[in-house]
Amino acid sequence: MIKMGTKRSRTSKTISPVSRVPDLKLSSPIESAARVASSEDLLIQILLHVPVKTLLNFKSVSKQWLSLINSPHFLRLCSLRLCSPLSPSVSSLFFASSSSCRSNPDYQFIPLDINDKCPTPFKTLDFTNDPLGSGISALQSCNGLLLCASYRAREFNRTYYVYNPTTKHFVILPRIRHQYSKFVCGMSLAFDPRKSPYYKVVCVRRSETSRQLFQIEIYSSETLSWRVSGESFNAPKHTEFQNSIYWNGSVHWWNGSFHWWNGFANGGQQRNETYTLYFKVDEESIEQLPVSEKRYGDYYVASYVGESDGHFHLVEGNYDYNRSFNVHEMAIDYSGWFIKYKVDLSALANAFPEMMKKNRFFGYTVKIISLVRRGKEEEEEDGSFLVLEIPGGKIIRYNLVDKSAMKLWEFAPGHKFYNDDCLRHVCALPYI
């Protein structure tokens, strides 16, 4: 039975300071303020608990505060606090329209909690004028940063950007060597603020020695330059090395590695392959990742692949996969997949009868947009959930723990960019 309605408010959790605050029992508030201002360690502890946007405004207080807030040490402490287990994970999703007639894609910002009043960071990516004049699209989201690129551009003249939607700061990535620019197969952003304040961008291109081989180049925000990594390598046929506005299920950042899926686009199929590749960024090594052994004829069908809160998931498919399916999780040591959830959407279809429209797989008409892990599994209100799209432009949150459901969003009627199953062409990027 589906339980409908909004979530009850949760008791807020406070984060303990890293160090103890010294005794400030002085004779006057002015002396206390002076004591705080003169102690950099104490000032850091206070600023670490200030909201991000307020913190940015504090840069104008004084040169001392500007220098302190911009220092690598303070930024690393901020990152550690924001990425702590007590902090929230993905709070919202960006939905991008794949409209081919627009020069700049629109983005709909949808909070994952119905009571979340977070303002929309942007509706279009207009932080700069792209030299090609066709606008900018987001390809990937990684721990608060977006990898963006010139929209609808040929690879050899495309510009790539790294954009922080919270601070509105961006950088333009330098191009790789000109003779290789037209052979680029994909760009991916790696950023883990718990390990380093610097990010890396991994470029996969065709090898200069053979069109059948691939070569990796890595850009580091610390060195501000590209360099070749390792030897050229083979990849399974149909391997996708880059996400796009039309799909966001090909490249996945998890466990310090990029995982490249084979032919996975909008619920696509892996063609006669028993493994896919992943690239360990720190070690700069290529490894093989086994896929689920369950196959349907000559094809393996994956209706969803994605990472959340340190977990890597794969949703298997069959001819009835939109009615019931299993959610697999990869072991942290890559020893294999195991079943994490068994999902039956029959009760959800009763609550939302528009799902009953038959699709080409003979199941319900539904698309898995995201799987979000949150909180302790035994706490129903903080449990993991699926974000689903159903006909009518509705975005549904389905709790995997207590089986409750709520409507997160409903797009305005009359939108003409729907596929044959009456679902919109959207990709979802997490916002942190």
Side-chain angles (χ1 to χ4, degrees):
M1 179 177 180
I2 291 292
K3 296 186 288 184
M4 305 294 293
T6 61
K7 292 168 66 67
R8 299 190 299 272
S9 60
R10 300 192 296 268
T11 304
S12 61
K13 301 177 182 179
T14 58
I15 301 177
S16 302
V18 177
S19 60
R20 296 186 61 185
V21 177
D23 188 7
L24 294 177
K25 294 181 179 180
L26 301 178
S27 57
S28 71
I30 295 178
E31 291 179 353
S32 298
R35 179 74 174 273
V36 171
S38 63
S39 173
E40 187 172 284
D41 289 340
L42 181 56
L43 187 58
I44 286 176
Q45 294 305 319
I46 294 174
L47 293 178
L48 283 174
H49 292 79
V50 172
V52 174
K53 292 189 176 180
T54 303
L55 188 65
L56 297 177
N57 292 331
F58 281 174
K59 289 184 177 183
S60 61
V61 170
S62 67
K63 291 183 178 180
Q64 177 199 7
W65 284 37
L66 175 63
S67 176
L68 178 63
I69 295 172
N70 284 340
S71 67
H73 173 66
F74 181 78
L75 293 175
R76 178 164 174 76
L77 291 176
C78 279
S79 299
L80 290 171
R81 181 179 69 85
L82 292 173
C83 294
S84 70
L86 297 179
S87 298
S89 56
V90 176
S91 62
S92 312
L93 294 175
F94 287 107
F95 288 82
S97 170
S98 64
S99 166
S100 60
C101 65
R102 293 190 59 87
S103 61
N104 210 18
D106 288 332
Y107 290 87
Q108 178 63 55
F109 181 70
I110 301 180
L112 295 176
D113 292 296
I114 198 168
N115 296 318
D116 190 348
K117 304 301 180 183
C118 180
T120 301
F122 60 83
K123 292 183 184 274
T124 59
L125 290 169
D126 54 1
F127 52 83
T128 188
N129 292 323
D130 187 79
L132 299 180
S134 61
I136 301 171
S137 65
L139 303 179
Q140 180 198 352
S141 172
C142 188
N143 289 321
L145 299 182
L146 296 179
L147 177 65
C148 307
S150 304
Y151 181 49
R152 300 178 64 197
R154 294 182 181 273
E155 190 61 54
F156 65 86
N157 59 1
R158 177 176 292 166
T159 302
Y160 286 91
Y161 308 86
V162 175
Y163 176 56
N164 187 327
T166 302
T167 65
K168 311 301 182 184
H169 293 164
F170 72 93
V171 297
I172 300 175
L173 295 180
R175 297 182 185 274
I176 65 171
R177 288 168 293 176
H178 178 72
Q179 64 267 36
Y180 301 134
S181 59
K182 65 180 179 180
F183 299 124
V184 171
C185 301
M187 295 271 194
S188 301
L189 174 66
F191 176 54
D192 188 347
R194 294 168 296 184
K195 296 181 178 179
S196 171
Y198 302 104
Y199 60 83
K200 295 179 180 179
V201 178
V202 174
C203 170
V204 181
R205 61 170 174 81
R206 296 285 180 180
S207 170
E208 59 268 34
T209 61
S210 171
R211 292 277 294 173
Q212 306 305 315
L213 298 176
F214 300 91
Q215 181 66 61
I216 289 178
E217 295 197 32
I218 299 177
Y219 172 84
S220 170
S221 64
E222 182 176 14
T223 63
L224 304 179
S225 61
W226 290 96
R227 63 175 177 82
V228 175
S229 170
E231 303 294 330
S232 56
F233 63 96
N234 280 301
K237 192 176 182 180
H238 306 293
T239 297
E240 299 284 352
F241 292 106
Q242 180 157 295
N243 295 324
S244 79
I245 188 173
Y246 299 101
W247 61 83
N248 63 324
S250 302
V251 183
H252 306 278
W253 169 250
W254 174 68
N255 201 21
S257 304
F258 284 116
H259 301 75
W260 299 308
W261 216 248
N262 305 347
F264 177 76
N266 291 336
Q269 300 168 328
Q270 287 198 185
R271 298 165 172 84
N272 298 311
E273 298 290 351
T274 59
Y275 70 94
T276 184
L277 296 180
Y278 66 97
F279 177 66
K280 302 173 76 171
V281 175
D282 289 341
E283 293 84 350
E284 300 187 20
S285 63
I286 302 286
E287 307 291 342
Q288 292 186 4
L289 173 67
V291 299
S292 173
E293 295 180 357
K294 192 169 184 178
R295 304 172 70 86
Y296 304 94
D298 293 332
Y299 299 102
Y300 173 80
V301 182
S303 54
Y304 174 79
V305 180
E307 180 276 340
S308 178
D309 198 29
H311 305 274
F312 194 43
H313 305 107
L314 179 149
V315 178
E316 69 179 15
N318 57 32
Y319 290 111
D320 199 29
Y321 81 98
N322 278 339
R323 290 179 179 271
S324 60
F325 51 82
N326 295 329
V327 176
H328 298 261
E329 181 177 340
M330 172 56 67
I332 194 67
D333 61 356
Y334 290 93
S335 57
W337 298 94
F338 61 91
I339 295 178
K340 179 63 179 178
Y341 302 106
K342 292 180 177 291
V343 181
D344 186 344
L345 295 180
S346 300
L348 183 64
N350 292 332
F352 296 95
E354 53 267 54
M355 291 172 54
M356 300 296 289
K357 173 180 169 60
K358 297 294 185 180
N359 62 17
R360 62 184 180 275
F361 293 108
F362 311 106
Y364 299 132
T365 302
V366 62
K367 174 186 176 183
I368 302 174
I369 294 176
S370 184
L371 191 159
V372 179
R373 297 285 288 270
R374 183 180 292 180
K376 295 181 179 178
E377 292 297 318
E378 66 271 15
E379 296 179 7
E380 290 187 356
E381 289 193 74
D382 284 340
S384 304
F385 57 90
L386 292 171
V387 180
L388 306 171
E389 179 189 2
I390 64 175
K394 294 180 181 179
I395 306 299
I396 306 298
R397 169 174 167 163
Y398 176 73
N399 194 302
L400 290 166
V401 179
D402 66 2
K403 314 303 180 185
S404 64
M406 67 173 69
K407 183 177 71 175
L408 291 175
W409 189 262
E410 185 171 355
F411 289 96
H415 193 285
K416 60 183 178 181
F417 300 106
Y418 287 84
N419 61 19
D420 293 338
D421 292 327
C422 298
L423 300 176
R424 291 166 54 97
H425 294 280
V426 296
C427 73
L429 298 173
Y431 177 70
I432 301 176

